[in-house]
Each structure stands twice: as C-alpha cells, then as structure tokens.
Amino acid sequence: MNKHKILITSSLIISIVVSVNFVTGNDIEKNKTTTINEQISSAKAINQQLHDSALNKEIVTINKPSVPSLSGVKHEANLLTDIHGNLRVDESIKELFEFYLSSIGEEPLDHVLMRIQSELNSQLDTPALEQALDLLKRYVDYKIELVTLEQALPSHGNSHSLNLENIKNKKSELNALRTSYFDKTEYQEFFEQEEIYDNFMIDHLEIVNNDTLDEDAKRQNIKSLEQSLPDELRTTRQKVSLHGSLYERTKKMKQEGSSDEEIFQLRAQTLGEQAAVSLAELDKKRSLWQQRLIDYTHQRNAISDSGLSLQDQENAINDLINTNFSGTERLRVKALNSHL
C-alpha cells in the first residue's frame, strides 16, 4: 500500500469516522428502530459464523458480479508465506481486507466477508490460510468495535470537544483497542506509519496552540518537527501541503472570475502539464455532478410540493434516484438528500 495514504486517511487527527453502514449496509433504512448495540452484536455474530464455517472448509464463492464501486478495479495484494508455510503479515493483507470492506453499503456484510475468504482461499494453503482467516475475523471485529468507541467519544458539538486533551484520549483509546486485537508484528505492519503521523500532528497542534511562543518560534519549531519525520512521510507531507496550497489558490481564482486557461497554467507550473490536464478533467466531472444534483433537487422538490401522500412521495423520489443515478451514486445522493 502506498505510504502517502497515511496522510489522507489517518484515523486519529483528520477524524475517527466510523460509518454505521459498516455494520448494517443498506439494512439501516429497514431497521431504523434497531439500536446500534444490536447492530454491532449482529455484525459480530455474522463474522463469527462465517469464520467458523471457513475453518470447517465451508468457504463460499460469491458468483454474482462485483459491486459497482469495485467493477473493473483489481487489488494488488499478493499474500506471502514463509518457508514453513506461515502467513507473512504485511500491509498487503490489510489492503486486501480494506479493498473489499470498502463496498459495505452496496452489499451485505456476509457477502463481503465471503468475497474476502474466497480470495484468501485462492492465494493461501494451510497453515497460512487458517492464520489469515483468524486475522480477518479479528480485523473485522476491530472495525466493528470502532463504532462503540466512536459512540463513547465526546460530542463534537462545541469547540471544547476538539481540544488536545480529547485528541490524546482518542489516541489512547484507539491504541488500546488495537493492542487488544493485534499482536506486535500485526500492529507494526498495520498501524505504525499512521501512528507516527498521528503523533506528529499532536505535536504540531501543541506548537500551534502554545501561547508562550511567537509566530517565528512556532514556525521554527514546526520546521524542526517536520524534519523529525521519516523521509518518505516528510516528502509526502510536502506534496500534500503543495496540493492543499494549490487548491486554495485555484479556489480563490475561481471566485475572482479567472478563466479556465489561467487556472490550467497555474496548475501546470506547479504540478506539471499532465497533472493539470487531469485536474481540468476532474473539474468538468465535478461540474457535471453538481448540475445533476441541482436537476435532481428541482425534481425532488416538485414531488414534495405535488400534494401526493408521504408514501407516494417517497416512492416517486426513490424512482427518481434510481432513474437518474447508478451504483454508489445512489448512496451518495441519499446521504446528501437532507442537505440538498
């Protein structure tokens, strides 16, 4: 797995965001009265049942096509074993897990787990297969347990809930949870880089919020702190910062009415022409998506104002979504619905 993902997906600092959809998939709309604890228990039961079945050589192959979000996409996880046939734990197996778990919400949890088990079975033999199945069960239980952790964390309703003390508490609880599920090698391979960056960001925030330092001292301390990062993380952070700065500049240019060509030239000078072309294409896709959302909102509002019964309105809106959007787009629209 590319290390730069650590800077984008670090679960502590950017946020520990755990979607209940991981537990429920699409069933959440059908069981609104079901408590989160019941959903968690159900998910763990499914995980345990499929794990036990797999150990009894009852691994089921899912014959239906892959979900839309994974259609035409292949993972690059190549699982390895040592000379004794034992599983060699590295980032590849975590990447494999996350590749399939990313489709939660498009199909039920049991189907997702069957896909992973089938993939493990195709790459591994005993004893590595049993070891990988055990690791899968613990990893999924860990992900489910994150829901409980998120529920127990302080509300983000005010600024006090985002202070350093709460961030450190998050880190402590998260580390404890990980330690309870994974051994030293697994912990190191799965989370070490992320933890290094989390610690860096905590130190960064402490410097920024230190009222005893003037701005020059803060900048110098932050520069020294950045030099303490491993070379790969430091280089990647610099690239991410460059992209962030470029995003802010192009955003301001758009607000000021700069032409597409002017924005293209800025991007080309900063990132190169090929990257500028890709970003221009992305701008077009985003613009088209926003227009589709606007068109949908107008039609949805017309349905809401039509005088139909609530049930008929719901049916009509669902038909509208299904007609105009496909695959994961439908999930995105439904998630955005209350904000449109």
Side-chain angles (χ1 to χ4, degrees), residues 162-187:
L162 295 176
N163 63 26
L164 276 172
E165 196 59 38
N166 283 335
I167 291 175
K168 290 178 179 179
N169 287 339
K170 281 185 179 183
K171 177 175 173 57
S172 178
E173 292 188 44
L174 181 61
N175 289 349
L177 180 63
R178 289 171 171 174
T179 301
S180 70
Y181 277 102
F182 307 104
D183 64 28
K184 183 178 179 180
T185 299
E186 294 163 349
Y187 191 105

PDB file of all heavy atoms in Angstrom, residues 162-187:
ATOM      1  N   LEU A 162     -12.913  19.393  20.741  1.00  0.00           N
ATOM      2  CA  LEU A 162     -11.852  19.183  19.758  1.00  0.00           C
ATOM      3  C   LEU A 162     -10.486  19.598  20.304  1.00  0.00           C
ATOM      4  O   LEU A 162      -9.550  19.757  19.556  1.00  0.00           O
ATOM      5  CB  LEU A 162     -12.162  20.000  18.490  1.00  0.00           C
ATOM      6  CG  LEU A 162     -13.416  19.575  17.734  1.00  0.00           C
ATOM      7  CD1 LEU A 162     -13.667  20.522  16.563  1.00  0.00           C
ATOM      8  CD2 LEU A 162     -13.281  18.159  17.223  1.00  0.00           C
ATOM      9  N   ASN A 163     -10.367  19.782  21.629  1.00  0.00           N
ATOM     10  CA  ASN A 163      -9.096  20.220  22.169  1.00  0.00           C
ATOM     11  C   ASN A 163      -8.091  19.086  22.231  1.00  0.00           C
ATOM     12  O   ASN A 163      -8.407  17.918  21.987  1.00  0.00           O
ATOM     13  CB  ASN A 163      -9.287  20.880  23.543  1.00  0.00           C
ATOM     14  CG  ASN A 163      -9.835  19.899  24.579  1.00  0.00           C
ATOM     15  OD1 ASN A 163      -9.638  18.694  24.460  1.00  0.00           O
ATOM     16  ND2 ASN A 163     -10.500  20.420  25.581  1.00  0.00           N
ATOM     17  N   LEU A 164      -6.870  19.435  22.567  1.00  0.00           N
ATOM     18  CA  LEU A 164      -5.789  18.462  22.559  1.00  0.00           C
ATOM     19  C   LEU A 164      -6.020  17.315  23.522  1.00  0.00           C
ATOM     20  O   LEU A 164      -5.657  16.168  23.238  1.00  0.00           O
ATOM     21  CB  LEU A 164      -4.473  19.174  22.898  1.00  0.00           C
ATOM     22  CG  LEU A 164      -3.756  19.860  21.740  1.00  0.00           C
ATOM     23  CD1 LEU A 164      -2.584  20.677  22.249  1.00  0.00           C
ATOM     24  CD2 LEU A 164      -3.282  18.841  20.725  1.00  0.00           C
ATOM     25  N   GLU A 165      -6.617  17.611  24.652  1.00  0.00           N
ATOM     26  CA  GLU A 165      -6.836  16.552  25.644  1.00  0.00           C
ATOM     27  C   GLU A 165      -7.753  15.473  25.086  1.00  0.00           C
ATOM     28  O   GLU A 165      -7.513  14.274  25.256  1.00  0.00           O
ATOM     29  CB  GLU A 165      -7.450  17.147  26.916  1.00  0.00           C
ATOM     30  CG  GLU A 165      -7.373  16.226  28.127  1.00  0.00           C
ATOM     31  CD  GLU A 165      -5.940  15.855  28.486  1.00  0.00           C
ATOM     32  OE1 GLU A 165      -5.050  16.714  28.370  1.00  0.00           O
ATOM     33  OE2 GLU A 165      -5.722  14.685  28.868  1.00  0.00           O
ATOM     34  N   ASN A 166      -8.802  15.881  24.399  1.00  0.00           N
ATOM     35  CA  ASN A 166      -9.712  14.905  23.801  1.00  0.00           C
ATOM     36  C   ASN A 166      -9.030  14.129  22.677  1.00  0.00           C
ATOM     37  O   ASN A 166      -9.273  12.928  22.506  1.00  0.00           O
ATOM     38  CB  ASN A 166     -10.971  15.600  23.275  1.00  0.00           C
ATOM     39  CG  ASN A 166     -11.945  15.956  24.381  1.00  0.00           C
ATOM     40  OD1 ASN A 166     -11.947  15.325  25.423  1.00  0.00           O
ATOM     41  ND2 ASN A 166     -12.753  16.972  24.149  1.00  0.00           N
ATOM     42  N   ILE A 167      -8.200  14.815  21.911  1.00  0.00           N
ATOM     43  CA  ILE A 167      -7.475  14.136  20.845  1.00  0.00           C
ATOM     44  C   ILE A 167      -6.543  13.080  21.423  1.00  0.00           C
ATOM     45  O   ILE A 167      -6.450  11.957  20.927  1.00  0.00           O
ATOM     46  CB  ILE A 167      -6.688  15.147  19.997  1.00  0.00           C
ATOM     47  CG1 ILE A 167      -7.653  16.008  19.187  1.00  0.00           C
ATOM     48  CG2 ILE A 167      -5.704  14.443  19.069  1.00  0.00           C
ATOM     49  CD1 ILE A 167      -6.996  17.114  18.410  1.00  0.00           C
ATOM     50  N   LYS A 168      -5.861  13.424  22.492  1.00  0.00           N
ATOM     51  CA  LYS A 168      -4.968  12.457  23.140  1.00  0.00           C
ATOM     52  C   LYS A 168      -5.750  11.289  23.718  1.00  0.00           C
ATOM     53  O   LYS A 168      -5.290  10.143  23.688  1.00  0.00           O
ATOM     54  CB  LYS A 168      -4.158  13.151  24.235  1.00  0.00           C
ATOM     55  CG  LYS A 168      -3.116  14.124  23.698  1.00  0.00           C
ATOM     56  CD  LYS A 168      -2.374  14.816  24.831  1.00  0.00           C
ATOM     57  CE  LYS A 168      -1.326  15.772  24.286  1.00  0.00           C
ATOM     58  NZ  LYS A 168      -0.595  16.484  25.367  1.00  0.00           N
ATOM     59  N   ASN A 169      -6.936  11.579  24.274  1.00  0.00           N
ATOM     60  CA  ASN A 169      -7.779  10.500  24.794  1.00  0.00           C
ATOM     61  C   ASN A 169      -8.207   9.561  23.671  1.00  0.00           C
ATOM     62  O   ASN A 169      -8.244   8.337  23.831  1.00  0.00           O
ATOM     63  CB  ASN A 169      -9.008  11.071  25.492  1.00  0.00           C
ATOM     64  CG  ASN A 169      -8.663  11.702  26.829  1.00  0.00           C
ATOM     65  OD1 ASN A 169      -7.620  11.395  27.418  1.00  0.00           O
ATOM     66  ND2 ASN A 169      -9.519  12.601  27.304  1.00  0.00           N
ATOM     67  N   LYS A 170      -8.533  10.147  22.519  1.00  0.00           N
ATOM     68  CA  LYS A 170      -8.882   9.330  21.357  1.00  0.00           C
ATOM     69  C   LYS A 170      -7.727   8.402  21.000  1.00  0.00           C
ATOM     70  O   LYS A 170      -7.916   7.207  20.753  1.00  0.00           O
ATOM     71  CB  LYS A 170      -9.195  10.218  20.148  1.00  0.00           C
ATOM     72  CG  LYS A 170     -10.570  10.850  20.137  1.00  0.00           C
ATOM     73  CD  LYS A 170     -10.745  11.592  18.814  1.00  0.00           C
ATOM     74  CE  LYS A 170     -12.120  12.241  18.719  1.00  0.00           C
ATOM     75  NZ  LYS A 170     -12.318  12.902  17.406  1.00  0.00           N
ATOM     76  N   LYS A 171      -6.544   8.982  20.959  1.00  0.00           N
ATOM     77  CA  LYS A 171      -5.372   8.195  20.589  1.00  0.00           C
ATOM     78  C   LYS A 171      -5.140   7.060  21.577  1.00  0.00           C
ATOM     79  O   LYS A 171      -4.860   5.922  21.189  1.00  0.00           O
ATOM     80  CB  LYS A 171      -4.143   9.088  20.525  1.00  0.00           C
ATOM     81  CG  LYS A 171      -2.866   8.328  20.215  1.00  0.00           C
ATOM     82  CD  LYS A 171      -1.697   9.256  20.029  1.00  0.00           C
ATOM     83  CE  LYS A 171      -0.402   8.466  19.880  1.00  0.00           C
ATOM     84  NZ  LYS A 171      -0.451   7.505  18.772  1.00  0.00           N
ATOM     85  N   SER A 172      -5.258   7.359  22.857  1.00  0.00           N
ATOM     86  CA  SER A 172      -5.041   6.341  23.883  1.00  0.00           C
ATOM     87  C   SER A 172      -6.048   5.205  23.763  1.00  0.00           C
ATOM     88  O   SER A 172      -5.688   4.024  23.815  1.00  0.00           O
ATOM     89  CB  SER A 172      -5.136   6.982  25.273  1.00  0.00           C
ATOM     90  OG  SER A 172      -4.979   6.009  26.284  1.00  0.00           O
ATOM     91  N   GLU A 173      -7.321   5.548  23.591  1.00  0.00           N
ATOM     92  CA  GLU A 173      -8.357   4.520  23.479  1.00  0.00           C
ATOM     93  C   GLU A 173      -8.204   3.717  22.189  1.00  0.00           C
ATOM     94  O   GLU A 173      -8.406   2.500  22.174  1.00  0.00           O
ATOM     95  CB  GLU A 173      -9.740   5.165  23.544  1.00  0.00           C
ATOM     96  CG  GLU A 173     -10.068   5.755  24.901  1.00  0.00           C
ATOM     97  CD  GLU A 173     -11.518   6.207  24.998  1.00  0.00           C
ATOM     98  OE1 GLU A 173     -12.402   5.460  24.542  1.00  0.00           O
ATOM     99  OE2 GLU A 173     -11.757   7.314  25.513  1.00  0.00           O
ATOM    100  N   LEU A 174      -7.844   4.397  21.110  1.00  0.00           N
ATOM    101  CA  LEU A 174      -7.664   3.707  19.838  1.00  0.00           C
ATOM    102  C   LEU A 174      -6.488   2.733  19.910  1.00  0.00           C
ATOM    103  O   LEU A 174      -6.573   1.594  19.448  1.00  0.00           O
ATOM    104  CB  LEU A 174      -7.445   4.724  18.718  1.00  0.00           C
ATOM    105  CG  LEU A 174      -7.252   4.167  17.308  1.00  0.00           C
ATOM    106  CD1 LEU A 174      -8.478   3.372  16.869  1.00  0.00           C
ATOM    107  CD2 LEU A 174      -6.953   5.278  16.317  1.00  0.00           C
ATOM    108  N   ASN A 175      -5.382   3.177  20.505  1.00  0.00           N
ATOM    109  CA  ASN A 175      -4.215   2.306  20.636  1.00  0.00           C
ATOM    110  C   ASN A 175      -4.525   1.092  21.503  1.00  0.00           C
ATOM    111  O   ASN A 175      -4.090  -0.026  21.211  1.00  0.00           O
ATOM    112  CB  ASN A 175      -3.042   3.086  21.224  1.00  0.00           C
ATOM    113  CG  ASN A 175      -2.457   4.089  20.251  1.00  0.00           C
ATOM    114  OD1 ASN A 175      -2.785   4.078  19.076  1.00  0.00           O
ATOM    115  ND2 ASN A 175      -1.597   4.956  20.739  1.00  0.00           N
ATOM    116  N   ALA A 176      -5.291   1.326  22.576  1.00  0.00           N
ATOM    117  CA  ALA A 176      -5.660   0.225  23.459  1.00  0.00           C
ATOM    118  C   ALA A 176      -6.526  -0.790  22.728  1.00  0.00           C
ATOM    119  O   ALA A 176      -6.365  -2.008  22.889  1.00  0.00           O
ATOM    120  CB  ALA A 176      -6.382   0.760  24.693  1.00  0.00           C
ATOM    121  N   LEU A 177      -7.448  -0.293  21.909  1.00  0.00           N
ATOM    122  CA  LEU A 177      -8.321  -1.181  21.143  1.00  0.00           C
ATOM    123  C   LEU A 177      -7.493  -2.012  20.156  1.00  0.00           C
ATOM    124  O   LEU A 177      -7.688  -3.229  20.035  1.00  0.00           O
ATOM    125  CB  LEU A 177      -9.369  -0.357  20.394  1.00  0.00           C
ATOM    126  CG  LEU A 177     -10.366  -1.140  19.530  1.00  0.00           C
ATOM    127  CD1 LEU A 177     -11.208  -2.063  20.388  1.00  0.00           C
ATOM    128  CD2 LEU A 177     -11.257  -0.187  18.734  1.00  0.00           C
ATOM    129  N   ARG A 178      -6.583  -1.365  19.472  1.00  0.00           N
ATOM    130  CA  ARG A 178      -5.747  -2.076  18.510  1.00  0.00           C
ATOM    131  C   ARG A 178      -4.879  -3.128  19.196  1.00  0.00           C
ATOM    132  O   ARG A 178      -4.728  -4.250  18.699  1.00  0.00           O
ATOM    133  CB  ARG A 178      -4.874  -1.083  17.750  1.00  0.00           C
ATOM    134  CG  ARG A 178      -5.663  -0.225  16.764  1.00  0.00           C
ATOM    135  CD  ARG A 178      -4.808   0.892  16.197  1.00  0.00           C
ATOM    136  NE  ARG A 178      -5.499   1.585  15.110  1.00  0.00           N
ATOM    137  CZ  ARG A 178      -5.037   2.672  14.496  1.00  0.00           C
ATOM    138  NH1 ARG A 178      -3.881   3.203  14.872  1.00  0.00           N
ATOM    139  NH2 ARG A 178      -5.732   3.231  13.525  1.00  0.00           N
ATOM    140  N   THR A 179      -4.314  -2.764  20.335  1.00  0.00           N
ATOM    141  CA  THR A 179      -3.462  -3.697  21.072  1.00  0.00           C
ATOM    142  C   THR A 179      -4.239  -4.928  21.517  1.00  0.00           C
ATOM    143  O   THR A 179      -3.688  -6.033  21.583  1.00  0.00           O
ATOM    144  CB  THR A 179      -2.846  -3.001  22.295  1.00  0.00           C
ATOM    145  OG1 THR A 179      -2.081  -1.868  21.863  1.00  0.00           O
ATOM    146  CG2 THR A 179      -1.935  -3.943  23.067  1.00  0.00           C
ATOM    147  N   SER A 180      -5.529  -4.746  21.796  1.00  0.00           N
ATOM    148  CA  SER A 180      -6.345  -5.870  22.260  1.00  0.00           C
ATOM    149  C   SER A 180      -6.669  -6.858  21.146  1.00  0.00           C
ATOM    150  O   SER A 180      -7.040  -8.000  21.414  1.00  0.00           O
ATOM    151  CB  SER A 180      -7.640  -5.347  22.890  1.00  0.00           C
ATOM    152  OG  SER A 180      -8.513  -4.804  21.905  1.00  0.00           O
ATOM    153  N   TYR A 181      -6.519  -6.432  19.894  1.00  0.00           N
ATOM    154  CA  TYR A 181      -6.869  -7.297  18.771  1.00  0.00           C
ATOM    155  C   TYR A 181      -5.666  -7.822  17.978  1.00  0.00           C
ATOM    156  O   TYR A 181      -5.788  -8.833  17.286  1.00  0.00           O
ATOM    157  CB  TYR A 181      -7.797  -6.555  17.798  1.00  0.00           C
ATOM    158  CG  TYR A 181      -9.250  -6.583  18.213  1.00  0.00           C
ATOM    159  CD1 TYR A 181      -9.848  -5.474  18.805  1.00  0.00           C
ATOM    160  CD2 TYR A 181     -10.030  -7.725  18.027  1.00  0.00           C
ATOM    161  CE1 TYR A 181     -11.184  -5.499  19.189  1.00  0.00           C
ATOM    162  CE2 TYR A 181     -11.357  -7.760  18.408  1.00  0.00           C
ATOM    163  CZ  TYR A 181     -11.934  -6.643  18.993  1.00  0.00           C
ATOM    164  OH  TYR A 181     -13.250  -6.678  19.387  1.00  0.00           O
ATOM    165  N   PHE A 182      -4.526  -7.139  18.066  1.00  0.00           N
ATOM    166  CA  PHE A 182      -3.412  -7.492  17.199  1.00  0.00           C
ATOM    167  C   PHE A 182      -2.119  -7.666  17.987  1.00  0.00           C
ATOM    168  O   PHE A 182      -1.882  -6.943  18.960  1.00  0.00           O
ATOM    169  CB  PHE A 182      -3.223  -6.409  16.125  1.00  0.00           C
ATOM    170  CG  PHE A 182      -4.472  -6.105  15.354  1.00  0.00           C
ATOM    171  CD1 PHE A 182      -5.201  -4.951  15.597  1.00  0.00           C
ATOM    172  CD2 PHE A 182      -4.939  -6.997  14.391  1.00  0.00           C
ATOM    173  CE1 PHE A 182      -6.370  -4.676  14.905  1.00  0.00           C
ATOM    174  CE2 PHE A 182      -6.100  -6.729  13.682  1.00  0.00           C
ATOM    175  CZ  PHE A 182      -6.816  -5.576  13.945  1.00  0.00           C
ATOM    176  N   ASP A 183      -1.292  -8.614  17.522  1.00  0.00           N
ATOM    177  CA  ASP A 183      -0.003  -8.805  18.181  1.00  0.00           C
ATOM    178  C   ASP A 183       0.980  -7.739  17.707  1.00  0.00           C
ATOM    179  O   ASP A 183       0.649  -6.889  16.866  1.00  0.00           O
ATOM    180  CB  ASP A 183       0.540 -10.222  17.956  1.00  0.00           C
ATOM    181  CG  ASP A 183       0.858 -10.529  16.484  1.00  0.00           C
ATOM    182  OD1 ASP A 183       1.181  -9.590  15.730  1.00  0.00           O
ATOM    183  OD2 ASP A 183       0.774 -11.708  16.100  1.00  0.00           O
ATOM    184  N   LYS A 184       2.210  -7.783  18.211  1.00  0.00           N
ATOM    185  CA  LYS A 184       3.188  -6.727  17.953  1.00  0.00           C
ATOM    186  C   LYS A 184       3.480  -6.572  16.467  1.00  0.00           C
ATOM    187  O   LYS A 184       3.525  -5.455  15.934  1.00  0.00           O
ATOM    188  CB  LYS A 184       4.471  -7.022  18.726  1.00  0.00           C
ATOM    189  CG  LYS A 184       5.527  -5.932  18.585  1.00  0.00           C
ATOM    190  CD  LYS A 184       6.750  -6.259  19.418  1.00  0.00           C
ATOM    191  CE  LYS A 184       7.823  -5.178  19.271  1.00  0.00           C
ATOM    192  NZ  LYS A 184       9.024  -5.487  20.087  1.00  0.00           N
ATOM    193  N   THR A 185       3.686  -7.695  15.775  1.00  0.00           N
ATOM    194  CA  THR A 185       4.003  -7.641  14.347  1.00  0.00           C
ATOM    195  C   THR A 185       2.842  -7.083  13.543  1.00  0.00           C
ATOM    196  O   THR A 185       3.021  -6.221  12.660  1.00  0.00           O
ATOM    197  CB  THR A 185       4.366  -9.033  13.822  1.00  0.00           C
ATOM    198  OG1 THR A 185       5.512  -9.524  14.521  1.00  0.00           O
ATOM    199  CG2 THR A 185       4.671  -8.990  12.327  1.00  0.00           C
ATOM    200  N   GLU A 186       1.645  -7.568  13.821  1.00  0.00           N
ATOM    201  CA  GLU A 186       0.451  -7.091  13.117  1.00  0.00           C
ATOM    202  C   GLU A 186       0.243  -5.601  13.357  1.00  0.00           C
ATOM    203  O   GLU A 186      -0.051  -4.840  12.424  1.00  0.00           O
ATOM    204  CB  GLU A 186      -0.772  -7.875  13.581  1.00  0.00           C
ATOM    205  CG  GLU A 186      -0.732  -9.340  13.187  1.00  0.00           C
ATOM    206  CD  GLU A 186      -1.702 -10.190  13.978  1.00  0.00           C
ATOM    207  OE1 GLU A 186      -2.278  -9.701  14.984  1.00  0.00           O
ATOM    208  OE2 GLU A 186      -1.893 -11.373  13.623  1.00  0.00           O
ATOM    209  N   TYR A 187       0.399  -5.180  14.608  1.00  0.00           N
ATOM    210  CA  TYR A 187       0.228  -3.767  14.964  1.00  0.00           C
ATOM    211  C   TYR A 187       1.219  -2.910  14.178  1.00  0.00           C
ATOM    212  O   TYR A 187       0.861  -1.867  13.606  1.00  0.00           O
ATOM    213  CB  TYR A 187       0.444  -3.588  16.459  1.00  0.00           C
ATOM    214  CG  TYR A 187       0.042  -2.234  17.012  1.00  0.00           C
ATOM    215  CD1 TYR A 187      -1.119  -2.077  17.755  1.00  0.00           C
ATOM    216  CD2 TYR A 187       0.828  -1.100  16.788  1.00  0.00           C
ATOM    217  CE1 TYR A 187      -1.493  -0.833  18.272  1.00  0.00           C
ATOM    218  CE2 TYR A 187       0.466   0.134  17.279  1.00  0.00           C
ATOM    219  CZ  TYR A 187      -0.692   0.263  18.024  1.00  0.00           C
ATOM    220  OH  TYR A 187      -1.060   1.488  18.515  1.00  0.00           O
TER     221      TYR A 187
END
